[in-house]
Amino acid sequence: MKAPFPKARPLMGLLSRKPSALASTRIKLIATFLVFSFLTAGIPLLAGGGVLYRTFLREAKIRVTQDLNAARQMYADHLDKMALALQTAGHGLNLLRPQGVPLEKVLEPTFRTMASHAPFDLIGIISGTQDIWVYSSGMLRRVQGASVVLPWVDKAVLLHRPLQGTTLLSLSHVALLDPALAEKARLPLKAPTPTAGAHRSFVEEAMVLAAAVPMNDVSERSGTLFGMKILNGASTLVDGIRDSLFRGTEHDGWNLGTVTVFLGDVRIATNVLEEDGQRALGTRASPAVARQVLEQGKRWNDRAFVVHDWYITGYDPIVDMEGRPIGMLYVGVLEKPYAGVRNKAMMIFAVLSVLGMSVAIGLGYFLEWKIIAPMVRLSRAAAEVAQGNMQPDLGPVEKGEIGIVQQAFASMLEAIRDRETRQRQETESKLVMAQKLSSIGRLAAGVAHEVNNPLTGVLTCGHLLLQRDDLDDEAREMLTVIVDATERVRRIVKGLLDFSRQTSLRIEPGDLHQVVLETLPLVENQAAVKGIQLHYEPGRDLPLVPMDVQHLKSVLLNLLLNALDATDAGGTITVSTRVALSMSREGTHRLGAELRVKDTGCGVPSENLEKIFEPFFSTKEVGKGTGLGLAVAYGIVSRHGGLIRVQSQVGQGTEFTIWLPLEEARPSG
């Protein structure tokens, strides 16, 4: 009984050093309270801070999405204003221009008025005679050879309708229209990158808001008005959008919200500031943003690093008149205010956690001495159990959890005592069974040599005498009794021989389904006479099973005959097969085949179930059974490496289950 408590003696040594043991326990208790405090305060601190931050972040993303939609609308409004101004000017030119007055005489005042009321950097007209007049920087001039740089104007003429949108112009083409505008749009790159084998240091294109309106009139007075807004360096545009969205809100001296227009991934109009306070023109967006927005054409709505700080951002692709992504529109708010709220909340949680841990340390010192004393008693009791005393003194039962531990310890001792008693009874039962089997085996071997041969002679002579015709009825009747009794003795001897395992098994892969089909016809007539129904439920995908087919048939036949004897008319006997795991009590399971015989008969009393496989045990009337059938079946199944089990309830029936391993078993005997 010392095996369940291998560490009891070291524990007694620990008890002999009680002061150090108490100190160690005190430390462990305090550490436990600290861990508990961390679990109840620290983890909620981290989780709560994370949830709070994610909530603010989600709200910030929603706000940025709304702001980006508004910024996109403002961007589109600029184009609408340009197109409307051009349409209005076109009507005015057609109506107010006197016959025979040169076109340039009425253009300058008209264009000057348009430039003061609409967001134009350049206004122009291509007359019906293909003359190009442009107004920019407060001057009207005639431009030669510039029609090639105005493809959207040609498209508006071709479609016979106004056209507006965003497009790209090289700075050399802008210079053909107005060199001053080209120089203004030539922005330095803050992070030059190699392109086509050379390093670019400046932006070489201009992103342009462009509109064109055909004028429908008589041929000599027709033409096409067009206007442009250069977005490179268009601070007024992005500042106006920012002021409309964020109304000048700041955080630590920095604008809370920012707006940017990108040409590709380069900032060409922005109110994002660098650390020196200058606008971050010529800087680039992060590669992840550029890939998603420019290459995939998808909106970005997430955290992003913008120049020198983290922002909650929204990026939308800007497409040209052909639908190709050429830039991005950005709106973002600083992440710091949201992170500050999270940090403040986490600081409050941290202070509360430290206070809780301090209380835990004091509580640990207070409770330590109340816990140690009963624990020492339990330790001493465990040591006594290890030395063989199964009735140790556990002391008075404490209240609370310690009392539960004491009761559990007492229950454990009771379970150990019960298990010892049960194991002893099982061992004794197995020894008795082994002795019986051994005795019957020796007896069967003796019967085989001493009784079988004389018995065969008696039976032979009896049959020969019965064939004589000179016997009177009384002698023939008595001789018949002798022959029947001798046949019964012969069956008993055969059963003893089978039980003693004197016959060898021939293990071969066999079809369990076929075994059942060949055995059931042997009892069909008897079942029909008694009015009993036979059912067979074959298992699916049943593999071949290593077995001695003849011996297994005899086992199944024996079970069926027993079921017929136990079942009354109107009853049912069901045979079924299937693949199943073993019924091993050792905790290991193997795959095998299962054969079941279930009847609806009278059942077996529970007190007889443990004896049912013992030799010479039978519940049948004297003379109707030898009591060896189930014992022989048990032996045959065991020699196959299988298991046999019985379940029964009085008045409800009995079920025998045979399990055979799928791998070949080594027969014994």
Side-chain angles (χ1 to χ4, degrees):
M1 295 309 300
K2 296 181 182 180
F5 303 95
K7 297 184 179 180
R9 294 190 183 277
L11 182 60
M12 291 300 293
L14 179 64
L15 294 176
S16 64
R17 301 188 297 272
K18 183 177 179 181
S20 61
L22 292 177
S24 174
T25 304
R26 181 183 297 113
I27 293 173
K28 291 179 180 178
L29 285 173
I30 295 172
T32 300
F33 277 103
L34 287 175
V35 171
F36 178 76
S37 299
F38 174 76
L39 293 176
T40 56
I43 292 180
L45 166 65
L46 298 176
V51 170
L52 184 63
Y53 176 68
R54 285 193 296 272
T55 301
F56 278 111
L57 184 63
R58 183 173 63 252
E59 295 299 324
K61 287 182 179 180
I62 294 174
R63 175 185 172 178
V64 167
T65 300
Q66 295 171 344
D67 291 341
L68 183 58
N69 293 335
R72 170 62 78 177
Q73 185 60 49
M74 295 178 193
Y75 183 91
D77 287 345
H78 275 70
L79 284 169
D80 293 339
K81 289 180 181 178
M82 293 171 61
L84 181 61
L86 291 175
Q87 290 176 344
T88 303
H91 290 299
L93 287 173
N94 285 330
L95 294 174
L96 299 177
R97 178 187 172 188
Q99 187 71 25
V101 176
L103 181 62
E104 60 270 21
K105 294 296 185 181
V106 296
L107 286 180
E108 185 172 0
T110 301
F111 285 169
R112 185 184 302 112
T113 301
M114 292 173 61
S116 63
H117 291 87
F120 290 109
D121 286 329
L122 183 145
I123 310 172
I125 186 171
I126 300 178
S127 67
T129 59
Q130 296 302 308
D131 290 333
I132 300 177
W133 295 86
V134 297
Y135 178 86
S136 64
S137 303
M139 295 177 57
L140 179 69
R141 57 188 176 279
R142 186 175 181 178
V143 179
Q144 299 293 331
S147 61
V148 69
V149 306
L150 303 172
W152 75 91
V153 178
D154 295 336
K155 188 174 182 180
V157 173
L158 182 64
L159 297 175
H160 301 291
R161 62 176 177 82
L163 190 66
Q164 64 191 59
T166 308
T167 189
L168 294 179
L169 288 179
S170 68
L171 294 186
S172 60
H173 288 171
V174 176
L176 291 176
L177 300 172
D178 187 347
L181 282 179
E183 186 61 28
K184 179 182 177 183
R186 193 167 181 265
L187 301 177
L189 288 172
K190 297 296 180 66
T193 56
T195 302
H199 287 273
R200 288 196 308 156
S201 299
F202 293 88
V203 175
E204 297 178 352
E205 292 180 304
M207 183 180 288
V208 178
L209 295 180
V213 177
M215 298 170 57
N216 298 318
D217 203 344
V218 293
S219 59
E220 68 273 8
R221 296 165 63 90
S222 66
T224 303
L225 286 171
F226 63 90
M228 293 168 39
K229 171 68 176 178
I230 305 294
L231 296 181
N232 295 31
S235 302
T236 303
L237 173 66
V238 293
D239 289 349
I241 296 176
R242 180 199 62 192
D243 293 340
S244 297
L245 296 177
F246 303 105
R247 305 186 185 280
T249 307
E250 294 185 351
H251 178 77
D252 291 340
W254 297 87
N255 291 325
L256 178 65
T258 53
V259 179
T260 299
V261 175
F262 287 84
L263 193 164
D265 64 343
V266 178
R267 292 179 177 85
I268 58 172
T270 184
N271 39 53
V272 176
L273 303 181
E274 297 186 86
E275 293 185 355
D276 59 3
Q278 299 297 317
R279 293 179 186 264
L281 296 173
T283 58
R284 296 183 180 275
S286 67
V289 172
R291 281 193 300 271
Q292 179 168 318
V293 180
L294 295 176
E295 296 179 12
Q296 303 176 19
K298 298 179 181 178
R299 171 176 285 191
W300 174 284
N301 184 208
D302 205 347
R303 298 174 69 242
F305 192 78
V306 179
V307 181
H308 62 83
D309 214 336
W310 284 97
Y311 282 72
I312 311 300
T313 64
Y315 293 80
D316 226 8
I318 297 176
V319 298
D320 63 8
M321 296 181 188
E322 305 298 328
R324 295 169 298 195
I326 59 174
M328 299 182 290
L329 179 63
Y330 149 89
V331 173
V333 294
L334 275 170
E335 187 185 44
K336 285 182 179 178
Y338 301 99
V341 173
R342 177 198 61 183
N343 295 338
K344 184 177 180 180
M346 291 186 68
M347 181 61 68
I348 295 174
F349 285 141
V351 171
L352 294 177
S353 298
V354 170
L355 291 176
M357 291 180 182
S358 300
V359 173
I361 294 174
L363 187 62
Y365 274 101
F366 172 73
L367 295 179
E368 166 268 325
W369 65 271
K370 297 191 67 175
I371 298 175
I372 290 298
M375 294 297 292
V376 170
R377 288 198 297 269
L378 284 177
S379 299
R380 289 175 177 169
E384 292 181 17
V385 171
Q387 294 174 357
N389 180 14
M390 300 304 296
Q391 300 289 340
D393 181 15
L394 300 180
V397 178
E398 300 287 336
K399 295 182 179 179
E401 288 76 8
I402 298 298
I404 295 175
V405 173
Q406 289 176 308
Q407 294 174 359
F409 191 86
S411 299
M412 180 189 69
L413 291 178
E414 183 66 26
I416 292 174
R417 290 192 290 267
D418 292 344
R419 186 180 63 184
E420 281 190 337
T421 302
R422 187 168 56 255
Q423 288 178 343
R424 184 169 55 252
Q425 292 174 348
E426 290 178 356
T427 302
E428 292 174 353
S429 176
K430 290 180 180 179
L431 286 175
V432 171
M433 184 67 174
Q435 291 173 355
K436 288 182 179 180
L437 294 177
S438 178
S439 300
I440 296 301
R442 290 193 299 270
L443 176 61
V447 168
H449 292 88
E450 302 297 335
V451 177
N452 206 31
N453 291 334
L455 194 63
T456 301
V458 172
L459 188 60
T460 301
C461 292
H463 281 294
L464 291 174
L465 289 174
L466 284 174
Q467 294 176 5
R468 292 179 58 173
D469 297 330
D470 57 347
L471 295 177
D472 57 23
D473 292 340
E474 183 179 0
R476 184 175 296 278
E477 183 178 351
M478 294 178 65
L479 193 57
T480 300
V481 172
I482 293 173
V483 170
D484 291 341
T486 306
E487 285 284 1
R488 173 171 169 74
V489 174
R490 187 179 182 183
R491 288 196 299 272
I492 294 174
V493 170
K494 183 179 181 301
L496 290 173
L497 289 174
D498 290 338
F499 183 77
S500 64
R501 303 180 181 178
Q502 296 299 312
T503 57
S504 60
L505 297 179
R506 295 180 60 186
I507 301 294
E508 295 177 351
D511 188 348
L512 192 58
H513 174 66
Q514 193 64 30
V515 169
V516 177
L517 292 179
E518 293 178 0
T519 306
L520 284 177
L522 302 179
V523 296
E524 283 181 348
N525 292 334
Q526 187 173 346
V529 170
K530 290 194 66 175
I532 298 173
Q533 294 184 353
L534 292 177
H535 294 295
Y536 176 38
E537 299 175 355
R540 298 178 58 185
D541 302 325
L542 198 66
L544 295 179
V545 182
M547 69 174 88
D548 185 312
V549 174
Q550 297 305 320
H551 279 77
L552 198 60
K553 284 183 180 179
S554 68
V555 171
L556 177 58
L557 180 61
N558 185 277
L559 296 179
L560 290 172
L561 292 174
N562 285 345
L564 286 170
D565 290 340
T567 306
D568 294 330
T572 302
I573 298 176
T574 303
V575 181
S576 61
T577 56
R578 65 169 185 166
V579 176
L581 293 176
S582 69
M583 304 174 290
S584 172
R585 295 180 179 178
E586 290 77 16
T588 59
H589 298 284
R590 295 180 298 163
L591 196 63
E594 201 171 75
L595 172 64
R596 296 190 177 197
V597 178
K598 183 178 182 180
D599 63 59
T600 59
C602 60
V604 180
S606 57
E607 62 270 15
N608 292 337
L609 284 178
E610 295 183 357
K611 308 175 185 178
I612 202 166
F613 295 111
E614 293 182 2
F616 300 114
F617 176 81
S618 177
T619 58
K620 299 179 182 179
E621 298 178 5
V622 177
K624 289 190 176 182
T626 63
L628 290 173
L630 290 179
V632 171
Y634 182 91
I636 292 174
V637 173
S638 297
R639 292 163 65 194
H640 277 78
L643 301 166
I644 185 169
R645 179 180 62 188
V646 60
Q647 292 179 323
S648 182
Q649 289 187 356
V650 175
Q652 296 187 16
T654 303
E655 181 180 37
F656 283 90
T657 302
I658 297 173
W659 179 89
L660 299 174
L662 290 181
E663 68 272 14
E664 185 172 350
R666 179 177 296 178
S668 58

